[in-house]
Structures are given as structure tokens and as C-alpha cells.
Amino acid sequence: MIRTEELLLNVGPQHPSTHGVFRIIVKLDGEVITEATPVMGYLHRGTEKIAESLNFTQIIPYTDRMDYVSAMTNNYVLVHAVETMMGLEVPQRAEYLRLVVMELQRVASHLVWWGTYLLDIGAMSPFLYAFRDREMIIDLFNELCGARLTYNYMRVGGVKWDAPPGWLDKVRAFIPYMENKLMEYDKLVSGNEIFLARIKGVGAYDAKTAIDYGLTGANLRCTGVDFDIRKAEPYSLYSKFDFDVPLGKTGDCHDRYRIRLEEIRQSLRILKQAMEQFPEGGDTMGKVPRVLRPPAGEVYVRIESPRGEIGCHIVSKGKAEPYRLKFRRPSFVNLQILPKLLVGETMTNLITILGGIDIVVGEVDC
Amino acid sequence: MSEEQGKDGEKPVVREAPADAEREAKLKAAAEARAARAAAKEKTESEAGEAAPEVAKPPSPRQPELDRLAALIKSEVSESAVEDAYLNELNGDMPVIIINNSYWREVSRLLKEHGELQFNYLRNVSGVDYETHMEVVYHLYSLSTKREAAFKVKTERDAAAVFSATPVWATANWNEREIYDLLGIDFPGHPDMRRIMMPDDWVGHPLRKDYEPIDPEV
């Protein structure tokens, strides 16, 4: 029998596979992990504290910087919370624009995940394909609001900019393009034996564990639990659309992979319907008071971000600034299961499992 | 807003031509009109405030949900476990129940394990500093019954402590650590109570309302 010395290994915070500045300390017995302790806070900027001295419109750019891969959904959860509190109406055209950008964002976010995940595992070229196609969405956003990553696009009561002439046609053209590319992705990667050997049966857990750990998004649905907030508690216009919620069975990395790819397809389905229903003309900003002062009280709203349930809890005292603003960040909550999953796994699987959870450290630390 | 008010108030003082009687009269008239408007607004507001209770609002469809929830906790745990129960109108009439701090441990278990409630998914935990007291808010959802409710536990600001919900919902673990780190509420019974965002040697809890940064410039 080979005896190995226990080794304490520091992974991160600067490591290409940690998707930012995430650090984890692992205890190794040979190649096998016996204990894992995540260390967070390297990207903590105190967003919630800063927000207490800003008015609601000023907070929107800060939400862009939480989950910077999916800024549109973050924008939405904040403005939606304030609108819920104040009982504001959003014009149809603005709501459609929001829905379209949120679904485009979901596609873009999953593309980043798909590319970087395969890069983590050792496949270089899919990353280039994914970023080539994501670039088209980024260009669409750039044309819409002048930013590629931190959009600051939504406002309480509507959106900042209407779609420029011809923009919707570009979105329409993007949908079939992306559908074709998805088939290309499947041909290129999804059946690859080496890839499957790396992800099948790795990082598996059951539905009960997933619920207990408060996992949401693909991390929950890979165990077969049918919970997508777009369906379960429809917000925005989602009740008007026909789409499926892909579910897994085994709860392993392979199921999470399949679900995310399928979610891109479903988002394209929603986009296609949205393009058909898109209202001609109309306002993009509803009637809102000049100074936003939600009534005293509190509200908790949640939406489905590409990573799971993102929630916003606002406590207001009737002032223009929130008394307390708390974001429920899916990356932060989903990451909690990592130390449990890693025990007994090898070092190589650490990257596979961490990548499979799909975190954005800006959101973990907030 | 306060700036604008300040400007309005200063106008008559800084005016340069006192000889311009016409202008003065206009300003005076404008000031009077402003005062009248403000008074009228105040009047309607206070009237609305008084009139509200008179108009009998139809009871919310979620009222029975709240009543049942409160009754269950009272009968299964203790009469005094429920401090208050109401519907949050701003939030689509979400049932909110304020739980007495000393009963939270039993209540949390009941919420998850009782066959009728099955609140198996703890979707959010927030800490709030109300300056007079601290509050921990638990937003719960049941994936089996599709019901949701919020539960609040109050604690005093000095030596703030609420019994940990981590043994019941594993997801509370990091959430409670974050609340401890940023608001200084302790969670007895927590398996690993350490700071999570700030460095271990940090002094104070930044989200407290009376928190003073060491270097205010930063």
C-alpha cells in the first residue's frame, strides 16, 4: 500500500478555472480531496451598503456589476422590485423589450458558460465558437444601449432606450442563426467520448439535497425538480409564451450540461414568439414620479436568472433611498454545495464540478 | 429636493430690486399660492388617511392561509410563539409572521417538517438593522404545496442572536454567516460561524446603521 502525506493545497484566487477571484483550500490525500474550504470575499464591494445612500435609479448600474455575465436580469430584478412596491405600470413595448433582452442575455450567459466550461475541461476550440456567437448578442446590446457588458438599460417604469431602427430585424435574423449553431455545438462536443467520460456521473446529488441546499436554476432542475420561476410564478410577460423547462434525472454534470444547452433552445423559442407579438410603436417609459419614493414597507421579488433565482429584498421607509437592500444571489447560494460535492473527488474533478455549478464571482461576493 | 426648497425660500431674500413692487407682489402671491397648495395637499392626505379604515376592504384571498399558518404554529409550538401575523399588501399579500425569538428553533423545525406546510426551500435570509432592534427575515417556499410566506425574528441590537436555521435548511449556512459578518447577529447552533466577506480581523459590522469606517475617505 502506498502511503501519501496529507497535502494542503491552495487553489486560487488567481486561477483561470475559478472564473474570477474565487479561492478554495483543499486537503489532499494523494489525488483525492478529503476536505474543501471555500474562501470568499475577494470581490466584495459592499454593494448593499453603498445602495443605502443612493436612490433607486443610481443603484441600477451597481446591479450590472454583480453578475456581469447576465446584467440584464439583474437590472430587471431591481426595477421590478421598485415597480412592485410603487404599483407602477410598465408600457407594453418596454416590457417586450425587457423580455427580449433578458432572453438574449440568457443565451449569451449560457454561451459563456458553455465555452469556458469546455475550456476548463481542456477543449480550447469550443470557447472560440461560443464567444464568436455571443459577440453577436453583445453587438445587439451595444447598439441598443451603448454598452457591451454593464448595460444600465432598464429603468423603474420602463427602459432607457427604444430599439433603434432595424434592431428587431437583427434579432429576428439571429434566432435561426443560433439554432443552426446549436446543432453545430452538439455535433462538435455533446457526443464526444472523452468529454462524456469527464462529466457523466461526476458531481451527482439527489433532489432532496438540492432543495435542502437551496439550489436553483440548472443546478436544481438537473435532479428532476420542475421549478423555473418563469413558469412557477410568472413575472413580466412569461405567461404569454409557450416554452418547456428542461429537466434532468441523475443530477450530475452531464445533466446540467444538457439542460443549459436546451435552455438556449427554449430561449430562442421565446424570442421567436416575442418577435411575432412585438407591439408596433408605443412608449418605452411609463408614468413615474420624478423622485422615486416607494411607500414604507418591504417587498421580496425574485426572477429566474441564467444561474437560478435572483431575488431582491427592499426595506423602505418612504425615502428615495432604500433603508436596506438585500440581493439573493444564486451564485452565492448554489456554491454552498461545493465542499460537500468535492469530498472523495479527485483534483481534476474539482474543476469539472466547480465549472458545472456555473458561478460568477461578482455575484458570489457582491 | 431639499436644495430646491432652499432656493425657493431664498428667492425673496436675495432679490435685488426692492423698488420693483410689482415683482414683489407677484412673489408674495406665488408664496401664498404655494402655501395654500401645500395645505390642501396635507388636508387631502390626512383625509385619505382617516377615510381608509372606513372603507371596508374585501378580505384578501390569502387571509385564510395566514390564519391557518398562525393557528398551526400556536397549537403545535406555543400560544406565545406568534408575536404578530399580517399580510404584506405591497408584496401581493404575502403572509408574514413574526416569531418570538425564543421559539424560533421549534418553529423552524415545524415549518419544514409539518405535513401541511412542508416549507422545504429557504429562498432568502436577510438581516435588517432597524436601529431600535435587529430583525432576521426568512423567505420560505414549499416546492410541494407551492405556498410561500415570510417569517421574522426580532432580537435586540446588543448581543444580537437568533437560533441558527442551518440544522433545518442547509442553505442557511452561508446566509447566516453573511448576516453575522455584515450585521453582527450571532446564530447559536451554527456549525461554522466565521466572517465570510470581510477579512477575519475586520473591526465592526459594516451594514449596521451606526457603523463608522476607520478611514471615512475610503
Side-chain angles (χ1 to χ4, degrees), chain A residues 205-212 214-228 247-248 251 256 259-260 307 334, chain B residues 121 143:
Chain A
Y205 46 81
D206 60 2
K208 197 174 168 295
T209 315
I211 296 169
D212 198 30
L215 305 187
T216 41
N219 291 301
L220 176 67
R221 292 192 286 271
C222 69
T223 61
V225 179
D226 188 2
F227 182 65
D228 184 318
L247 298 177
R256 293 193 271 281
I259 287 173
R260 292 206 177 98
R307 264 152 278 280
N334 289 347
Chain B
Y121 168 35
L143 286 162

Side-chain angles (χ1 to χ4, degrees), chain B residues 43 57 61 72 95 127 135 140 163 172 202 213 215:
Chain B
K43 204 179 163 208
K57 261 197 296 177
L72 254 178
E135 201 173 82
L140 287 166
F163 208 87
W202 195 264
D215 184 356

Side-chain angles (χ1 to χ4, degrees), chain A residues 114 182 186 190 257-265:
Chain A
W114 186 78
L182 274 177
D186 271 337
S190 300
Y257 171 86
R258 279 194 312 102
I259 287 173
R260 292 206 177 98
L261 273 191
E262 183 57 31
E263 276 183 8
I264 299 182
R265 243 175 234 116

Side-chain angles (χ1 to χ4, degrees), chain A residues 298 309 313 323-324 328, chain B residues 121 123 126-127 129 152 209:
Chain A
E298 59 187 291
E309 170 174 340
H313 180 205
Y323 184 74
R324 169 89 168 94
R328 187 249 192 235
Chain B
Y121 168 35
R123 65 188 343 170
S126 308
D129 178 4
K152 295 178 165 192
K209 292 285 175 186

Side-chain angles (χ1 to χ4, degrees), chain A residues 40 49 52 85 211-213 216 233 290 298-300 302 309 313 323-324 326 328-329 336 364, chain B residues 88 91 112 121 123 125-127 129 131 141 148 152 170-171 173-174 178 196-197 206 209:
Chain A
M40 273 88 50
K49 182 73 179 176
E52 285 176 9
M85 270 192 128
I211 296 169
D212 198 30
Y213 275 85
T216 41
E233 302 165 323
R290 202 170 54 84
E298 59 187 291
V299 74
Y300 175 74
R302 60 272 153 182
E309 170 174 340
H313 180 205
Y323 184 74
R324 169 89 168 94
K326 150 101 189 183
R328 187 249 192 235
R329 293 107 55 201
Q336 274 198 77
V364 173
Chain B
N88 186 351
N91 207 359
K112 189 182 182 191
Y121 168 35
R123 65 188 343 170
V125 190
S126 308
D129 178 4
E131 282 164 290
Y141 183 78
E148 63 168 350
K152 295 178 165 192
T171 177
N173 189 330
W174 286 11
E178 194 186 17
I196 190 165
M197 293 294 168
K209 292 285 175 186

